[in-house]
mmCIF file of all heavy atoms in Angstrom:
data_model
loop_
_atom_site.group_PDB
_atom_site.id
_atom_site.type_symbol
_atom_site.label_atom_id
_atom_site.label_comp_id
_atom_site.label_asym_id
_atom_site.label_seq_id
_atom_site.Cartn_x
_atom_site.Cartn_y
_atom_site.Cartn_z
ATOM 1 N N GLU A 283 9.471 -11.013 9.664
ATOM 2 C CA GLU A 283 9.652 -12.426 10.064
ATOM 3 C C GLU A 283 8.699 -13.420 9.598
ATOM 4 O O GLU A 283 8.857 -14.578 9.661
ATOM 5 C CB GLU A 283 9.629 -12.475 11.703
ATOM 6 C CG GLU A 283 10.580 -11.594 12.324
ATOM 7 C CD GLU A 283 12.097 -12.163 12.230
ATOM 8 O OE1 GLU A 283 12.253 -13.246 11.815
ATOM 9 O OE2 GLU A 283 12.967 -11.333 12.583
ATOM 10 N N MET A 284 7.540 -12.854 8.967
ATOM 11 C CA MET A 284 6.436 -13.843 8.626
ATOM 12 C C MET A 284 6.144 -13.859 7.184
ATOM 13 O O MET A 284 5.074 -14.482 6.842
ATOM 14 C CB MET A 284 5.219 -13.500 9.543
ATOM 15 C CG MET A 284 5.410 -13.805 11.026
ATOM 16 S SD MET A 284 4.286 -12.900 12.121
ATOM 17 C CE MET A 284 2.731 -13.095 11.347
ATOM 18 N N GLY A 285 6.867 -13.175 6.348
ATOM 19 C CA GLY A 285 6.621 -13.263 4.930
ATOM 20 C C GLY A 285 5.563 -12.311 4.364
ATOM 21 O O GLY A 285 5.115 -12.588 3.246
ATOM 22 N N MET A 286 5.105 -11.386 5.070
ATOM 23 C CA MET A 286 3.976 -10.508 4.642
ATOM 24 C C MET A 286 4.604 -9.304 3.990
ATOM 25 O O MET A 286 5.635 -8.901 4.374
ATOM 26 C CB MET A 286 3.064 -10.060 5.736
ATOM 27 C CG MET A 286 2.463 -11.202 6.529
ATOM 28 S SD MET A 286 1.225 -10.588 7.763
ATOM 29 C CE MET A 286 -0.184 -10.297 6.802
ATOM 30 N N THR A 287 3.847 -8.839 3.055
ATOM 31 C CA THR A 287 4.206 -7.517 2.326
ATOM 32 C C THR A 287 3.780 -6.370 3.234
ATOM 33 O O THR A 287 2.933 -6.581 4.080
ATOM 34 C CB THR A 287 3.709 -7.327 1.016
ATOM 35 O OG1 THR A 287 2.253 -7.265 1.091
ATOM 36 C CG2 THR A 287 3.977 -8.551 0.126
ATOM 37 N N PRO A 288 4.370 -5.194 3.146
ATOM 38 C CA PRO A 288 3.836 -4.096 4.095
ATOM 39 C C PRO A 288 2.293 -3.905 3.788
ATOM 40 O O PRO A 288 1.576 -3.708 4.714
ATOM 41 C CB PRO A 288 4.657 -2.944 3.487
ATOM 42 C CG PRO A 288 5.980 -3.592 3.117
ATOM 43 C CD PRO A 288 5.554 -4.775 2.477
ATOM 44 N N ALA A 289 1.814 -4.039 2.528
ATOM 45 C CA ALA A 289 0.415 -3.805 2.301
ATOM 46 C C ALA A 289 -0.403 -4.953 2.956
ATOM 47 O O ALA A 289 -1.486 -4.707 3.568
ATOM 48 C CB ALA A 289 0.251 -3.702 0.819
ATOM 49 N N GLU A 290 0.035 -6.160 2.872
ATOM 50 C CA GLU A 290 -0.727 -7.172 3.455
ATOM 51 C C GLU A 290 -0.777 -7.087 4.979
ATOM 52 O O GLU A 290 -1.831 -7.312 5.599
ATOM 53 C CB GLU A 290 -0.042 -8.510 3.141
ATOM 54 C CG GLU A 290 -0.236 -8.947 1.737
ATOM 55 C CD GLU A 290 0.679 -10.229 1.280
ATOM 56 O OE1 GLU A 290 1.643 -10.402 2.015
ATOM 57 O OE2 GLU A 290 0.327 -10.775 0.224
ATOM 58 N N ALA A 291 0.351 -6.575 5.624
ATOM 59 C CA ALA A 291 0.338 -6.357 7.037
ATOM 60 C C ALA A 291 -0.553 -5.299 7.456
ATOM 61 O O ALA A 291 -1.288 -5.332 8.536
ATOM 62 C CB ALA A 291 1.815 -6.099 7.503
ATOM 63 N N VAL A 292 -0.502 -4.114 6.761
ATOM 64 C CA VAL A 292 -1.487 -3.027 7.020
ATOM 65 C C VAL A 292 -2.937 -3.554 6.934
ATOM 66 O O VAL A 292 -3.753 -3.198 7.835
ATOM 67 C CB VAL A 292 -1.217 -2.004 6.133
ATOM 68 C CG1 VAL A 292 -2.360 -0.849 6.240
ATOM 69 C CG2 VAL A 292 0.122 -1.157 6.554
ATOM 70 N N TRP A 293 -3.206 -4.297 5.872
ATOM 71 C CA TRP A 293 -4.603 -4.853 5.748
ATOM 72 C C TRP A 293 -4.989 -5.700 6.981
ATOM 73 O O TRP A 293 -6.089 -5.662 7.457
ATOM 74 C CB TRP A 293 -4.768 -5.632 4.387
ATOM 75 C CG TRP A 293 -6.160 -5.783 4.098
ATOM 76 C CD1 TRP A 293 -7.032 -5.047 3.284
ATOM 77 C CD2 TRP A 293 -6.942 -7.010 4.536
ATOM 78 N NE1 TRP A 293 -8.249 -5.640 3.192
ATOM 79 C CE2 TRP A 293 -8.267 -6.856 4.006
ATOM 80 C CE3 TRP A 293 -6.700 -8.072 5.330
ATOM 81 C CZ2 TRP A 293 -9.342 -7.764 4.203
ATOM 82 C CZ3 TRP A 293 -7.831 -8.955 5.510
ATOM 83 C CH2 TRP A 293 -9.007 -8.773 4.984
ATOM 84 N N ALA A 294 -4.080 -6.588 7.231
ATOM 85 C CA ALA A 294 -4.391 -7.492 8.309
ATOM 86 C C ALA A 294 -4.491 -6.893 9.705
ATOM 87 O O ALA A 294 -5.281 -7.402 10.596
ATOM 88 C CB ALA A 294 -3.183 -8.517 8.444
ATOM 89 N N ALA A 295 -3.849 -5.825 9.835
ATOM 90 C CA ALA A 295 -3.872 -5.022 11.187
ATOM 91 C C ALA A 295 -5.132 -4.147 11.282
ATOM 92 O O ALA A 295 -5.420 -3.579 12.287
ATOM 93 C CB ALA A 295 -2.582 -4.227 11.335
ATOM 94 N N THR A 296 -5.851 -3.939 10.050
ATOM 95 C CA THR A 296 -6.974 -3.101 10.138
ATOM 96 C C THR A 296 -8.253 -3.924 9.682
ATOM 97 O O THR A 296 -9.021 -4.408 10.548
ATOM 98 C CB THR A 296 -6.759 -1.923 9.116
ATOM 99 O OG1 THR A 296 -6.268 -2.379 7.940
ATOM 100 C CG2 THR A 296 -5.716 -1.014 9.769
ATOM 101 N N ALA A 297 -8.411 -4.040 8.384
ATOM 102 C CA ALA A 297 -9.639 -4.807 7.826
ATOM 103 C C ALA A 297 -9.537 -6.301 8.340
ATOM 104 O O ALA A 297 -10.533 -6.908 8.566
ATOM 105 C CB ALA A 297 -9.590 -4.768 6.440
ATOM 106 N N GLY A 298 -8.291 -6.909 8.416
ATOM 107 C CA GLY A 298 -8.278 -8.287 8.904
ATOM 108 C C GLY A 298 -8.714 -8.334 10.331
ATOM 109 O O GLY A 298 -9.425 -9.341 10.654
ATOM 110 N N GLY A 299 -8.360 -7.467 11.245
ATOM 111 C CA GLY A 299 -8.734 -7.415 12.602
ATOM 112 C C GLY A 299 -10.318 -7.255 12.739
ATOM 113 O O GLY A 299 -11.006 -7.838 13.559
ATOM 114 N N ALA A 300 -10.867 -6.414 11.871
ATOM 115 C CA ALA A 300 -12.240 -6.275 11.734
ATOM 116 C C ALA A 300 -13.078 -7.490 11.323
ATOM 117 O O ALA A 300 -14.111 -7.843 11.953
ATOM 118 C CB ALA A 300 -12.676 -5.165 10.791
ATOM 119 N N ALA A 301 -12.469 -8.219 10.401
ATOM 120 C CA ALA A 301 -13.020 -9.563 9.943
ATOM 121 C C ALA A 301 -12.965 -10.569 11.115
ATOM 122 O O ALA A 301 -13.939 -11.281 11.330
ATOM 123 C CB ALA A 301 -12.292 -10.117 8.832
ATOM 124 N N ALA A 302 -11.906 -10.518 11.925
ATOM 125 C CA ALA A 302 -11.751 -11.442 13.053
ATOM 126 C C ALA A 302 -12.773 -11.080 14.112
ATOM 127 O O ALA A 302 -13.164 -11.952 14.896
ATOM 128 C CB ALA A 302 -10.324 -11.381 13.676
ATOM 129 N N LEU A 303 -13.330 -9.919 14.112
ATOM 130 C CA LEU A 303 -14.348 -9.459 15.103
ATOM 131 C C LEU A 303 -15.740 -9.408 14.372
ATOM 132 O O LEU A 303 -16.735 -9.087 15.066
ATOM 133 C CB LEU A 303 -14.064 -8.154 15.768
ATOM 134 C CG LEU A 303 -12.785 -8.135 16.630
ATOM 135 C CD1 LEU A 303 -12.555 -6.737 17.079
ATOM 136 C CD2 LEU A 303 -12.989 -9.053 17.783
ATOM 137 N N ARG A 304 -15.867 -9.868 13.193
ATOM 138 C CA ARG A 304 -16.985 -9.797 12.360
ATOM 139 C C ARG A 304 -17.605 -8.423 12.463
ATOM 140 O O ARG A 304 -18.803 -8.295 12.667
ATOM 141 C CB ARG A 304 -17.977 -10.915 12.743
ATOM 142 C CG ARG A 304 -17.418 -12.355 12.394
ATOM 143 C CD ARG A 304 -18.289 -13.396 12.384
ATOM 144 N NE ARG A 304 -17.611 -14.598 11.860
ATOM 145 C CZ ARG A 304 -17.941 -15.882 12.028
ATOM 146 N NH1 ARG A 304 -18.972 -16.156 12.784
ATOM 147 N NH2 ARG A 304 -17.274 -16.787 11.405
ATOM 148 N N ARG A 305 -16.831 -7.422 12.187
ATOM 149 C CA ARG A 305 -17.215 -6.068 12.245
ATOM 150 C C ARG A 305 -17.138 -5.461 10.866
ATOM 151 O O ARG A 305 -16.063 -5.539 10.212
ATOM 152 C CB ARG A 305 -16.367 -5.196 13.235
ATOM 153 C CG ARG A 305 -16.442 -5.638 14.639
ATOM 154 C CD ARG A 305 -17.618 -4.949 15.402
ATOM 155 N NE ARG A 305 -17.632 -3.552 15.361
ATOM 156 C CZ ARG A 305 -16.995 -2.895 16.374
ATOM 157 N NH1 ARG A 305 -16.360 -3.343 17.323
ATOM 158 N NH2 ARG A 305 -17.140 -1.498 16.263
ATOM 159 N N ALA A 306 -18.096 -4.736 10.392
ATOM 160 C CA ALA A 306 -17.938 -4.174 9.099
ATOM 161 C C ALA A 306 -17.869 -2.589 9.161
ATOM 162 O O ALA A 306 -17.689 -1.904 8.178
ATOM 163 C CB ALA A 306 -19.264 -4.427 8.221
ATOM 164 N N ASP A 307 -17.924 -2.129 10.394
ATOM 165 C CA ASP A 307 -18.008 -0.624 10.591
ATOM 166 C C ASP A 307 -16.585 -0.083 10.989
ATOM 167 O O ASP A 307 -16.441 1.081 10.975
ATOM 168 C CB ASP A 307 -18.938 -0.230 11.659
ATOM 169 C CG ASP A 307 -18.527 -0.899 13.042
ATOM 170 O OD1 ASP A 307 -18.040 -2.013 13.018
ATOM 171 O OD2 ASP A 307 -18.865 -0.352 14.100
ATOM 172 N N VAL A 308 -15.533 -0.892 11.154
ATOM 173 C CA VAL A 308 -14.257 -0.425 11.498
ATOM 174 C C VAL A 308 -13.243 -1.144 10.646
ATOM 175 O O VAL A 308 -13.605 -2.106 9.717
ATOM 176 C CB VAL A 308 -13.963 -0.813 12.983
ATOM 177 C CG1 VAL A 308 -14.758 -0.020 13.871
ATOM 178 C CG2 VAL A 308 -14.001 -2.262 13.247
ATOM 179 N N GLY A 309 -12.000 -0.744 10.595
ATOM 180 C CA GLY A 309 -10.941 -1.354 9.786
ATOM 181 C C GLY A 309 -11.064 -0.868 8.318
ATOM 182 O O GLY A 309 -10.334 -1.401 7.452
ATOM 183 N N VAL A 310 -11.970 -0.006 7.967
ATOM 184 C CA VAL A 310 -12.261 0.514 6.509
ATOM 185 C C VAL A 310 -12.616 2.020 6.708
ATOM 186 O O VAL A 310 -13.083 2.400 7.712
ATOM 187 C CB VAL A 310 -13.226 -0.267 5.897
ATOM 188 C CG1 VAL A 310 -14.532 -0.289 6.633
ATOM 189 C CG2 VAL A 310 -13.351 -0.032 4.385
ATOM 190 N N LEU A 311 -12.283 2.704 5.601
ATOM 191 C CA LEU A 311 -12.731 4.064 5.509
ATOM 192 C C LEU A 311 -13.533 4.282 4.247
ATOM 193 O O LEU A 311 -12.974 4.267 3.179
ATOM 194 C CB LEU A 311 -11.508 5.130 5.457
ATOM 195 C CG LEU A 311 -10.549 5.110 6.788
ATOM 196 C CD1 LEU A 311 -9.440 5.994 6.555
ATOM 197 C CD2 LEU A 311 -11.469 5.597 8.047
ATOM 198 N N ARG A 312 -14.789 4.370 4.309
ATOM 199 C CA ARG A 312 -15.766 4.620 3.320
ATOM 200 C C ARG A 312 -16.993 5.247 3.955
ATOM 201 O O ARG A 312 -17.272 5.082 5.204
ATOM 202 C CB ARG A 312 -16.094 3.302 2.628
ATOM 203 C CG ARG A 312 -16.726 2.209 3.491
ATOM 204 C CD ARG A 312 -16.964 0.901 2.867
ATOM 205 N NE ARG A 312 -17.542 -0.122 3.732
ATOM 206 C CZ ARG A 312 -17.214 -1.248 3.771
ATOM 207 N NH1 ARG A 312 -16.353 -1.828 2.645
ATOM 208 N NH2 ARG A 312 -17.683 -2.273 4.649
ATOM 209 N N PRO A 313 -17.844 5.848 3.176
ATOM 210 C CA PRO A 313 -19.078 6.488 3.661
ATOM 211 C C PRO A 313 -19.859 5.416 4.535
ATOM 212 O O PRO A 313 -20.240 4.282 4.055
ATOM 213 C CB PRO A 313 -19.785 6.945 2.470
ATOM 214 C CG PRO A 313 -18.635 7.282 1.467
ATOM 215 C CD PRO A 313 -17.644 6.189 1.650
ATOM 216 N N GLY A 314 -20.216 5.867 5.704
ATOM 217 C CA GLY A 314 -21.006 5.065 6.516
ATOM 218 C C GLY A 314 -20.151 4.297 7.674
ATOM 219 O O GLY A 314 -20.708 3.795 8.667
ATOM 220 N N ALA A 315 -18.837 4.250 7.401
ATOM 221 C CA ALA A 315 -17.997 3.443 8.359
ATOM 222 C C ALA A 315 -17.629 4.499 9.486
ATOM 223 O O ALA A 315 -17.904 5.603 9.511
ATOM 224 C CB ALA A 315 -16.706 3.078 7.749
ATOM 225 N N ARG A 316 -17.283 3.971 10.705
ATOM 226 C CA ARG A 316 -16.913 4.716 11.874
ATOM 227 C C ARG A 316 -15.721 5.557 11.494
ATOM 228 O O ARG A 316 -14.791 5.057 10.837
ATOM 229 C CB ARG A 316 -16.690 3.727 13.065
ATOM 230 C CG ARG A 316 -16.937 4.527 14.268
ATOM 231 C CD ARG A 316 -16.927 3.460 15.493
ATOM 232 N NE ARG A 316 -15.600 3.044 15.816
ATOM 233 C CZ ARG A 316 -15.560 2.082 16.909
ATOM 234 N NH1 ARG A 316 -16.474 1.660 17.486
ATOM 235 N NH2 ARG A 316 -14.271 1.729 17.225
ATOM 236 N N ALA A 317 -15.726 6.725 11.886
ATOM 237 C CA ALA A 317 -14.532 7.636 11.472
ATOM 238 C C ALA A 317 -13.438 7.405 12.523
ATOM 239 O O ALA A 317 -13.206 8.268 13.350
ATOM 240 C CB ALA A 317 -15.099 9.130 11.555
ATOM 241 N N ASP A 318 -12.863 6.276 12.519
ATOM 242 C CA ASP A 318 -11.630 5.828 13.173
ATOM 243 C C ASP A 318 -10.406 5.917 12.209
ATOM 244 O O ASP A 318 -10.369 5.162 11.292
ATOM 245 C CB ASP A 318 -11.745 4.532 13.760
ATOM 246 C CG ASP A 318 -12.774 4.433 14.955
ATOM 247 O OD1 ASP A 318 -13.275 5.472 15.445
ATOM 248 O OD2 ASP A 318 -12.967 3.300 15.377
ATOM 249 N N LEU A 319 -9.637 6.812 12.415
ATOM 250 C CA LEU A 319 -8.493 6.994 11.493
ATOM 251 C C LEU A 319 -7.209 7.498 12.223
ATOM 252 O O LEU A 319 -7.265 8.068 13.240
ATOM 253 C CB LEU A 319 -8.869 7.832 10.300
ATOM 254 C CG LEU A 319 -9.393 9.105 10.580
ATOM 255 C CD1 LEU A 319 -8.202 10.269 10.354
ATOM 256 C CD2 LEU A 319 -10.530 9.563 9.735
#
């Protein structure tokens, strides 16, 4: 309904939400990030 690609929506629901909370430890999987998956 909103014109997003599947990749954009997945990013917005993970890394985008982390950016909205100004969090660098969640919404991403890389060494040092919280193991939320």
Side-chain angles (χ1 to χ4, degrees):
E283 302 290 348
M284 291 161 45
M286 301 184 85
T287 67
E290 288 168 339
V292 166
W293 192 95
T296 51
L303 294 175
R304 294 193 171 159
R305 298 276 300 272
D307 59 329
V308 296
V310 63
L311 294 175
R312 62 184 172 213
R316 206 165 75 179
D318 289 354
L319 55 101

